[in-house]
Amino acid sequence: MMQKPTLRFWQILHMNVGFFGIQYSFGLQQSAVNPIYDFLGASPDEIPLLNLAGPVTGLVVQPIIGALSDKTWHPRWGRRKPYFLIGALLCSLALIAFPFSSSLWMAAGLLWILDAGNNMAMEPYRAFVADKLNDEQRPLGFQMQSFFTGFGQTLANLSLFIFPLIIVGKTGSLPTWVFASFFLGAICSIGSIWWSMRTTPEIPPTDEELAHMKAASKGFLEPLLEIVSAIRVMPKIMWQLALVYLFQWYALFCYWQNSSKSIALSLWNATPQSNPEAYEQAVRWTGLVNGWYNVVTFLVAFALVGFAKKYSPRITHAICLTATALGFLAFPHLTDKSLFFFAITGFGIGWASMMGIPYLIVVSDIPKERYGVYMGIINMMIVIPMIIQNLTFGYILKEVLHNDARHAISLAGVLLLCSALLTLRMKPQAKLNDDGSRLS
């Protein structure tokens, strides 16, 4: 097996810059899309179904693209780069078109395109990083992605706070500041991907790997068959991760869909229908609060690398999930604006872990020739809980939680505590580093 070279810090940074643009787009999906649905007249219990685009496209697109990228090689364009370039272009076009939405279903349709682009870029990008880095440098590589996740989503959320201060009025059905936020996202999406492609060459496959690619069937069903085959022999640790993710990602969608409405109720006793002006203030403040948790994410991302090496990725992730849960449990009970920053700090720590640490738990058990397909399967573990949430939570919110967004945030906290306990029950196989030390 070819020994991968040790890369300098700045080489790893340039490699991951593209994650900044992908995550700016994702930050807008978290914090801006649901308020846009509210501005266009959606009721609270309709929001989960309107968010179905993300998990469904993730379920279909990411594992297929991951499997295809495993079997792709072009002397000029490489293995992973063609996929995340096309994904970034789709994201940019959808972000440019989104503010022109004149109806609820137009916005929902554009979200499907935006998510398809994001999902086409995401897992080949993670596989690209795994391809380039040796075992010793992978923790830094994955946590560098957490850094850029925090940075990109911080800018996205701050744009929701800053642009309304300087751009007033409405254009069509939406506030004019929405155009500025989404246009900036389009520039970041394609620009950051272009930078990483320009600065980071891919490692050419060996003759043996090329022969394996050529021998593989090129039929239409090949990617699907590859996914089924990979799932059949999937390591036990990945099944355990799937259970952790069931609670984790259901909870996070509950938060993202309801955070601005929860803050509106807590601070202004308002809903989008009862007081649209107060709700727009709540959206701005939510952008600032969510921007803060992403600041925390990129501040702590690298610290988690050392923490994971010392205490194991499993324990690190469980602690970070618990910090997030405690913040969510406090969130609905706050009536002072400044206290929301303290509550959401736990989510910033948890989000830094979620973007990188779970991959450290499982990556040593994944065969390198299947990095792409297994990264796609991990994404299936993320999106299936989201689909379940989208299909079930509208009923739960309306019939059980009485359309009170604050109760939704409390439920998210409880689910994350369950996820933390399940993380502690994960049993990674014993692996050895190059220096003989044990990996957890």
Side-chain angles (χ1 to χ4, degrees):
M1 183 185 297
M2 183 181 66
Q3 182 67 31
K4 296 176 184 177
T6 298
L7 302 184
R8 297 189 304 275
F9 176 86
W10 293 108
Q11 290 176 299
I12 299 174
L13 185 143
H14 288 309
M15 178 197 314
N16 283 286
V17 164
F19 235 68
F20 166 75
I22 294 172
Q23 294 301 325
Y24 183 107
S25 174
F26 191 53
L28 288 179
Q29 290 178 236
Q30 291 176 0
S31 298
V33 168
N34 289 313
I36 287 172
Y37 286 155
D38 293 325
F39 291 138
L40 293 173
S43 63
D45 51 278
E46 288 179 318
I47 296 295
L49 279 177
L50 291 169
N51 278 275
L52 196 58
V56 169
T57 56
L59 181 65
V60 174
V61 172
Q62 285 203 23
I64 292 176
I65 293 298
L68 287 172
S69 72
D70 282 339
K71 292 179 169 53
T72 295
W73 176 253
H74 188 278
R76 179 178 179 184
W77 297 107
R79 172 181 286 185
R80 317 291 184 182
K81 288 180 180 180
Y83 297 98
F84 52 76
L85 175 62
I86 294 170
L89 287 170
L90 276 177
C91 284
S92 295
L93 292 173
L95 287 167
I96 290 170
F98 208 97
F100 295 97
S101 299
S102 57
S103 66
L104 199 57
W105 294 109
M106 180 178 175
L110 285 169
L111 181 60
W112 282 83
I113 298 173
L114 178 61
D115 264 305
N118 262 339
N119 284 307
M120 184 174 289
M122 185 75 73
E123 295 317 309
Y125 210 122
R126 291 198 187 277
F128 171 62
V129 173
D131 290 340
K132 288 285 291 183
L133 299 178
N134 58 37
D135 290 345
E136 184 179 349
Q137 290 195 304
R138 275 185 194 142
L140 177 60
F142 283 127
Q143 286 310 107
M144 186 76 78
Q145 292 186 356
S146 293
F147 172 84
F148 279 112
T149 293
F151 189 30
Q153 292 186 19
T154 295
L155 182 60
N157 283 286
L158 288 180
S159 76
L160 305 186
F161 181 80
I162 295 171
F163 284 145
L165 298 177
I166 57 179
I167 303 173
V168 297
K170 295 183 69 174
T171 301
S173 303
L174 299 174
T176 305
W177 58 262
V178 171
F179 288 76
S181 292
F182 278 74
F183 290 174
L184 179 58
I187 295 170
C188 290
S189 179
I190 192 62
S192 62
I193 288 288
W194 171 83
W195 181 264
S196 287
M197 291 183 64
R198 178 179 175 273
T199 59
T200 309
E202 293 197 65
I203 298 175
T206 64
D207 292 340
E208 181 182 352
E209 288 170 333
L210 279 172
H212 179 74
M213 290 179 192
K214 291 178 180 178
S217 169
K218 301 296 182 182
F220 177 75
L221 295 178
E222 173 63 20
L224 296 177
L225 295 175
E226 175 68 13
I227 293 165
V228 173
S229 171
I231 290 174
R232 289 178 60 187
V233 295
M234 194 162 68
K236 181 180 178 181
I237 190 68
M238 288 189 64
W239 290 107
Q240 294 171 328
L241 181 65
L243 189 58
V244 171
Y245 273 4
L246 175 63
F247 289 88
Q248 175 183 305
W249 289 99
Y250 195 109
L252 295 189
F253 252 41
C254 289
Y255 172 78
W256 288 323
Q257 291 169 6
N258 292 279
S259 54
S260 58
K261 288 188 279 290
S262 177
I263 287 179
L265 287 168
S266 295
L267 297 182
W268 287 276
N269 194 30
T271 67
Q273 294 76 30
S274 69
N275 192 337
E277 291 77 16
Y279 180 63
E280 191 165 345
Q281 291 185 59
V283 171
R284 288 180 53 227
W285 196 254
T286 304
L288 200 59
V289 169
N290 286 347
W292 172 248
Y293 87 68
N294 284 290
V295 169
V296 174
T297 293
F298 70 74
L299 289 177
V300 306
F302 295 128
L304 290 183
V305 175
F307 200 88
K309 286 182 177 179
K310 184 174 182 180
Y311 297 104
S312 88
R314 178 175 57 92
I315 292 174
T316 300
H317 193 55
I319 291 172
C320 293
L321 287 173
T322 302
T324 307
L326 295 176
F328 282 1
L329 290 171
F331 198 92
H333 305 288
L334 304 177
T335 56
D336 184 322
K337 281 184 176 181
S338 60
L339 292 179
F340 283 97
F341 295 100
F342 291 99
I344 209 62
T345 295
F347 188 17
I349 297 169
W351 191 232
S353 179
M354 294 171 202
M355 289 296 97
I357 298 299
Y359 297 92
L360 294 181
I361 299 174
V362 302
V363 72
S364 60
D365 287 342
I366 298 174
K368 76 181 191 69
E369 66 274 9
R370 280 183 156 179
Y371 279 155
V373 68
Y374 273 120
M375 292 298 173
I377 290 170
I378 290 174
N379 188 70
M380 292 172 66
M381 299 174 186
I382 295 172
V383 299
I384 288 173
M386 291 180 178
I387 292 173
I388 295 171
Q389 195 271 357
N390 291 151
L391 294 176
T392 62
F393 193 67
Y395 176 83
I396 294 171
L397 184 62
K398 183 177 181 179
E399 301 298 332
V400 180
L401 305 180
H402 310 295
N403 271 340
D404 190 321
R406 293 169 294 190
H407 298 332
I409 308 297
S410 296
L411 176 62
V414 173
L415 293 174
L416 283 169
L417 287 176
C418 296
S419 186
L421 291 172
L422 289 167
T423 300
L424 291 174
R425 293 176 59 85
M426 295 177 74
K427 301 295 183 184
Q429 292 184 6
K431 295 286 181 178
L432 296 180
N433 281 317
D434 294 337
D435 62 1
S437 60
R438 186 183 184 277
L439 280 173
S440 171

